[in-house]
Amino acid sequence: FSRRLRGKVTEKLDEREASALQMVLSHGEHMLLLVDDLLELSQIDQKELILRQTPVNVQEMLTRVVGDLASLAEHYNLQINVSVPEHLELACDGTRITQVLSNLMRHCVKYADCGPIRVQAYEGEGRCIYIEMGCPSVPLADREVIRMFDRYNHLHSRVDRDVGCSGLSLPLAAELVQLHGGELTVKVNNHNELQFQLRLPMI
């Protein structure tokens, strides 16, 4: 309703009214994202979330994610650098892991102090594939980093950037990865770079 209203009456509103309508729309969209994430977490808790695992090329999957979020990164003057071999393949639910990667990249955009956002993938020990995303970050305390994957006490960002995800998107991402038999970790290194690492079993 808010979208339809904005499309029909925007030219008739003064600046204050237009700003208020945009705020209603933004909060509504954020609430929708939150409800969607809550429903997925509920499905995980009830063991009702079904994974449809198929062979997925990692390079192709990351190319789609970067393409979808390129304009968002450009809006904040951030460059995305990708280094992924062509041959890497996962046996995974491509839709869910794409969702995970999109959420990780959105959080890189949210917390990036400057660019570039670096993305790489490689084969590691134990026949696992590692996907890493990182960027020079705004200052984050260790206690804040630890809370990123906590669904009940997750980090509420001090950064005023709307990147199209809810506060539960990282806890959901971590649990989706666990369902695949993998692991998602996050840290800030000594150079104040935020680094996400996703580990998943190969085919």
Side-chain angles (χ1 to χ4, degrees), residues 69-125:
L69 298 182
S71 60
L72 177 66
E74 289 174 3
H75 178 72
Y76 294 108
N77 298 314
L78 298 170
Q79 182 180 351
I80 303 174
N81 294 341
V82 182
S83 175
V84 183
E86 295 180 3
H87 67 279
L88 293 182
E89 284 197 339
L90 289 170
C92 67
D93 186 319
T95 300
R96 299 298 184 185
I97 296 303
T98 296
Q99 177 184 354
V100 169
L101 294 172
S102 176
N103 284 334
L104 296 183
M105 188 163 294
R106 288 177 188 276
H107 278 80
C108 285
V109 172
K110 177 183 280 290
Y111 291 109
D113 185 41
C114 59
I117 296 171
R118 292 180 294 276
V119 182
Q120 64 174 340
Y122 56 91
E123 182 180 346
E125 296 180 358

Side-chain angles (χ1 to χ4, degrees), residues 52-69:
R52 295 174 172 82
Q53 300 197 39
T54 58
V56 176
N57 183 276
V58 176
Q59 186 185 67
E60 293 176 0
M61 182 167 53
L62 280 168
T63 298
R64 287 195 300 271
V65 171
V66 171
D68 289 343
L69 298 182

Side-chain angles (χ1 to χ4, degrees), residues 8-27:
K8 290 184 177 182
V9 303
T10 298
E11 296 179 357
K12 302 176 183 179
L13 302 178
D14 61 32
E15 184 177 347
R16 182 179 178 184
E17 291 170 333
S19 176
L21 179 58
Q22 180 58 43
M23 186 177 296
V24 170
L25 180 57
S26 296
H27 284 295

Side-chain angles (χ1 to χ4, degrees), residues 23-181:
M23 186 177 296
V24 170
L25 180 57
S26 296
H27 284 295
E29 290 175 339
H30 181 76
M31 192 62 97
L32 180 60
L33 290 169
L34 182 60
V35 169
D36 286 343
D37 287 348
L38 282 169
L39 288 173
E40 287 200 64
L41 286 169
S42 176
Q43 284 183 303
I44 291 174
D45 289 343
Q46 299 299 321
K47 302 187 186 306
E48 295 176 350
L49 191 67
I50 299 173
L51 299 180
R52 295 174 172 82
Q53 300 197 39
T54 58
V56 176
N57 183 276
V58 176
Q59 186 185 67
E60 293 176 0
M61 182 167 53
L62 280 168
T63 298
R64 287 195 300 271
V65 171
V66 171
D68 289 343
L69 298 182
S71 60
L72 177 66
E74 289 174 3
H75 178 72
Y76 294 108
N77 298 314
L78 298 170
Q79 182 180 351
I80 303 174
N81 294 341
V82 182
S83 175
V84 183
E86 295 180 3
H87 67 279
L88 293 182
E89 284 197 339
L90 289 170
C92 67
D93 186 319
T95 300
R96 299 298 184 185
I97 296 303
T98 296
Q99 177 184 354
V100 169
L101 294 172
S102 176
N103 284 334
L104 296 183
M105 188 163 294
R106 288 177 188 276
H107 278 80
C108 285
V109 172
K110 177 183 280 290
Y111 291 109
D113 185 41
C114 59
I117 296 171
R118 292 180 294 276
V119 182
Q120 64 174 340
Y122 56 91
E123 182 180 346
E125 296 180 358
R127 288 191 54 77
C128 288
I129 289 178
Y130 291 80
I131 302 173
E132 297 178 350
M133 293 187 189
C135 60
S137 171
V138 299
L140 291 170
D142 289 343
R143 64 181 182 278
E144 293 178 305
V145 176
I146 292 172
R147 288 167 50 199
M148 282 189 172
F149 297 144
D150 189 333
R151 66 156 80 174
Y152 302 108
N153 186 29
H154 52 269
L155 177 63
H156 295 277
S157 175
R158 294 176 277 104
V159 182
D160 186 21
R161 288 182 182 173
D162 183 3
V163 295
C165 57
S166 80
L168 287 173
S169 59
L170 283 182
L172 175 59
E175 297 193 33
L176 287 173
V177 171
Q178 289 176 9
L179 286 178
H180 282 82

